[in-house]
Amino acid sequence: MSQFVENPAHLSKSRLKSDLVAHSVELPPVKSKKEVYVGLHLQHIGQKNAVDFSSDEEDQVQDVSDKEEDTEMPDPSGLTDDDLKAALLEHGVKAGPIVASTRALYEKKLRKLLQSNGHGCLNGVEKGVLYSDSEEEEENGEEEDRELGSEGEKEETVKQSDQAQQGSSQVELCFQNGGFVYPQCFLLSSRLHARASRNREPSPKWNSGNAIESSEQSRPPCSQIPVGISRASSVDQHSGLGSGLDMPIVDTMKNQSLYYTPKASSYEWKMKLTQEPVKDTVKNMFPNTDATTTGIYATRRRPIKGAAGRPVQYAYPDTPVSPTTLEKREVERRLVPIQIQILVFLIVTCLLYLIYVCVEDNSFGPSVALLDRFYQGSDSEEGLLLQAETQDVPAPSRQE
Amino acid sequence: MSSTSQKHRDFVAEPMGEKPVMALAGIGEVYGKRLEEKGFDKAYVVLGQFLVLKKDEELFRDWLKDTCGANVKQQGDCYGCLKEWCDAFL
């Protein structure tokens, strides 16, 4: 697995420096050549992986004192400010300035982290946990559910992002353990637990296959996985795993957005993707789906009625109606509908207008003609009567 | 109606200037005295500590507890007061 181990010679001097600080190794004099840094880097970071690392290195003089601090850093109060800061950084804590007033607090924090790290290491705690050989099976149990057709590069991607702050040595540990650790990003999609529970059986076989393949890094990225992940993974694949902390920091950025995309699109995932691995058993479970080139099977969830312009394809029962709505409907039925109300209003308006016109007129002639016309359609008797009335009215008025 | 006290509102309403440390929400006579003994005699000194801790709530609360023994509620009040002040004026 040498390819997973970062090659310090490829790192820049400043990168090596920061790595050394992170591992609380005393830095050589500022003007040392890069080889000095590389040697120190190899020694100390290599030391974390191999317990029985021989101590025949050249730069032994400085390392003797550092070795003791290297593995555990048990006493935070014995550390220098920089060391304390580096130690906190390893545990994923971005510490502010360590001055007189803040030092005590940060020491306390580091102690807490060291304790919790010692206890939480074996439990497979999500954030910033060392992945070791002993945890393989537990994590397999947890994370089998979460493979979404993920390949080796994805585990590396996510692992890198998770442990960027912990230092490269831990990343190497994971790589050395092989492809039995699964992507962190899929931790969020707990929904996949239920769905993927039936996949437990095929997945172990797939895991072993994956382990083999991951080392080859030959599997193409799944197309159906949100673009961000595939992009990041492919980038990682190409950039090589030996790049140490540079990539993980970049990945953290990317993968933070990745973390958001799974969250945001988890509903979509549930709908579209089950990300079944390519296996006969799986094919049997989904006989209707066509084999895709990427081997991803998707089952369509029943779409939400009328959502996003989708036509209503499924018969849904009537939505339950609240009592108040029912009451409103009842009342509305009994009241006169609006249309008829408007019509009546218009008729009344016209009548009033006519009356107004009649009243306005000084002479009765036109008004009589108007009235005649108005009553033209009615019975002749009534019209005569009216005429008689209208004639009678002016008559008495004239007489006056 | 927010759950902030009058003291909080008074503090957040204007730049703190030379206000004593007891002007902070959650810091009364007793805690104020203890802070002053430790050298935090003005509100801006506590502000300084708050900022040096990068406005981190947990760290600031721990610091407050260690320095003057404030209880959880008072820690929260003080933190909230300073945070809001920073949001407004910093």
Side-chain angles (χ1 to χ4, degrees):
Chain A
M1 294 276 191
S2 60
Q3 59 198 347
F4 293 106
V5 176
E6 57 196 31
N7 194 348
H10 292 164
L11 301 173
S12 70
K13 195 171 166 186
S14 56
R15 177 112 241 109
L16 290 167
K17 244 181 173 176
S18 57
D19 280 354
L20 290 173
V21 168
H23 291 275
S24 70
V25 176
E26 264 183 51
L27 293 177
V30 179
K31 297 202 174 161
S32 303
K33 288 202 170 179
K34 189 181 169 184
E35 286 89 44
V36 180
Y37 286 102
V38 171
L40 272 175
H41 191 275
L42 265 172
Q43 170 151 20
H44 290 278
I45 285 131
Q47 199 174 21
K48 290 225 173 190
N49 297 332
V51 178
D52 49 353
F53 187 80
S54 70
S55 53
D56 292 340
E57 291 297 318
E58 294 171 4
D59 303 298
Q60 200 53 34
V61 182
Q62 290 166 338
D63 301 338
V64 174
S65 55
D66 293 337
K67 260 190 202 172
E68 292 170 358
E69 294 179 30
D70 220 8
T71 47
E72 263 192 41
M73 289 165 293
D75 186 18
S77 47
L79 294 169
T80 66
D81 289 345
D82 286 336
D83 292 342
L84 185 60
K85 189 164 187 175
L88 283 163
L89 202 63
E90 268 183 52
H91 289 89
V93 174
K94 265 195 178 165
I98 300 186
V99 289
S101 53
T102 61
R103 192 183 163 96
L105 287 164
Y106 284 124
E107 279 178 18
K108 217 199 313 181
K109 190 151 196 172
L110 186 63
R111 278 201 194 90
K112 248 192 273 176
L113 285 167
L114 285 172
Q115 282 176 2
S116 68
N117 220 13
H119 295 145
C121 203
L122 301 171
N123 296 336
V125 173
E126 297 172 1
K127 261 194 174 183
V129 167
L130 297 171
Y131 289 105
S132 68
D133 281 325
S134 59
E135 297 168 44
E136 266 180 53
E137 306 204 348
E138 286 178 8
E139 285 166 356
N140 269 345
E142 284 176 8
E143 301 188 34
E144 274 173 11
D145 302 340
R146 296 181 204 112
E147 7 90 16
L148 296 177
S150 56
E151 297 87 5
E153 56 262 29
K154 264 170 219 80
E155 10 179 281
E156 289 141 11
T157 304
V158 183
K159 262 199 303 258
Q160 279 175 348
S161 68
D162 282 340
Q163 297 164 9
Q165 290 158 342
Q166 287 187 21
S168 53
S169 63
Q170 295 159 6
V171 173
E172 289 168 34
L173 249 182
C174 310
F175 295 152
Q176 285 182 351
N177 292 334
F180 282 95
V181 188
Y182 284 92
Q184 202 72 337
C185 64
F186 302 126
L187 241 143
L188 301 168
S189 49
S190 56
R191 291 165 201 280
L192 297 171
H193 264 286
R195 265 194 170 255
S197 56
R198 61 188 165 198
N199 299 338
R200 279 188 187 273
E201 283 192 6
S203 52
K205 298 176 203 164
W206 184 74
N207 288 352
S208 54
N210 192 37
I212 296 163
E213 289 174 345
S214 66
S215 57
E216 296 169 1
Q217 301 178 32
S218 60
R219 291 189 67 171
C222 292
S223 58
Q224 291 211 20
I225 290 171
V227 180
I229 293 176
S230 57
R231 224 190 296 132
S233 63
S234 59
V235 167
D236 293 332
Q237 200 180 1
H238 298 310
S239 65
L241 302 163
S243 55
L245 287 174
D246 273 327
M247 281 312 296
I249 289 170
V250 173
D251 291 348
T252 347
M253 307 277 287
K254 273 187 222 157
N255 280 313
Q256 275 171 4
S257 61
L258 292 182
Y259 288 152
Y260 289 126
T261 49
K263 261 183 183 161
S265 62
S266 62
Y267 289 105
E268 287 173 27
W269 282 7
K270 186 186 175 185
M271 281 168 58
K272 293 180 187 172
L273 305 175
T274 55
Q275 301 295 333
E276 315 284 359
V278 183
K279 275 289 166 185
D280 290 343
T281 51
V282 176
K283 275 183 189 167
N284 290 338
M285 284 199 282
F286 297 94
N288 295 328
T289 57
D290 300 327
T292 59
T293 51
T294 55
I296 308 285
Y297 296 92
T299 53
R300 190 162 179 253
R301 191 194 79 154
R302 204 167 85 165
I304 300 164
K305 170 184 177 183
R310 282 188 281 272
V312 182
Q313 293 178 349
Y314 300 97
Y316 289 87
D318 280 336
T319 54
V321 178
S322 68
T324 45
T325 328
L326 285 169
E327 283 176 27
K328 265 192 224 167
R329 287 186 188 169
E330 281 289 319
V331 169
E332 277 170 24
R333 230 192 296 149
R334 285 184 196 146
L335 291 175
V336 179
I338 287 177
Q339 302 281 356
I340 293 175
Q341 281 179 351
I342 292 171
L343 198 63
V344 166
F345 174 73
L346 287 171
I347 289 167
V348 168
T349 319
C350 289
L351 275 170
L352 285 170
Y353 174 73
L354 283 168
I355 292 164
Y356 171 77
V357 164
C358 297
V359 169
E360 277 289 322
D361 282 337
N362 292 325
S363 63
F364 282 101
S367 68
V368 170
L370 204 65
L371 282 170
D372 280 345
R373 251 184 272 131
F374 189 76
Y375 287 107
Q376 214 168 13
S378 64
D379 244 350
S380 56
E381 286 183 4
E382 287 183 15
L384 282 168
L385 270 170
L386 274 168
Q387 279 177 3
E389 280 177 14
T390 52
Q391 281 165 10
D392 284 341
V393 169
S397 67
R398 260 183 253 133
Q399 282 175 4
E400 288 170 10
Chain B
M1 186 65 174
S2 70
S3 60
T4 55
S5 63
Q6 186 60 41
K7 216 172 168 191
H8 173 109
R9 288 193 286 275
D10 289 342
F11 191 83
V12 172
E14 55 179 359
M16 62 174 80
E18 298 290 321
K19 281 187 189 167
V21 74
M22 275 159 276
L24 284 164
I27 307 293
E29 284 272 349
V30 175
Y31 298 141
K33 255 276 154 355
R34 290 186 197 163
L35 282 169
E36 280 175 12
E37 282 166 15
K38 296 276 177 78
F40 297 88
D41 55 345
K42 294 280 183 185
Y44 61 73
V45 187
V46 179
L47 174 71
Q49 182 67 18
F50 178 69
L51 296 173
V52 153
L53 292 170
K54 299 189 103 168
K55 305 192 209 169
D56 181 73
E57 177 165 10
E58 197 192 319
L59 286 171
F60 182 71
R61 278 176 180 255
D62 285 345
W63 173 80
L64 210 52
K65 191 171 80 173
D66 291 342
T67 313
C68 66
N71 66 29
V72 175
K73 183 180 182 300
Q74 269 127 355
Q75 292 164 21
D77 288 344
C78 190
Y79 168 78
C81 176
L82 281 170
K83 183 171 184 301
E84 219 176 294
W85 189 92
C86 287
D87 291 342
F89 296 103
L90 204 55

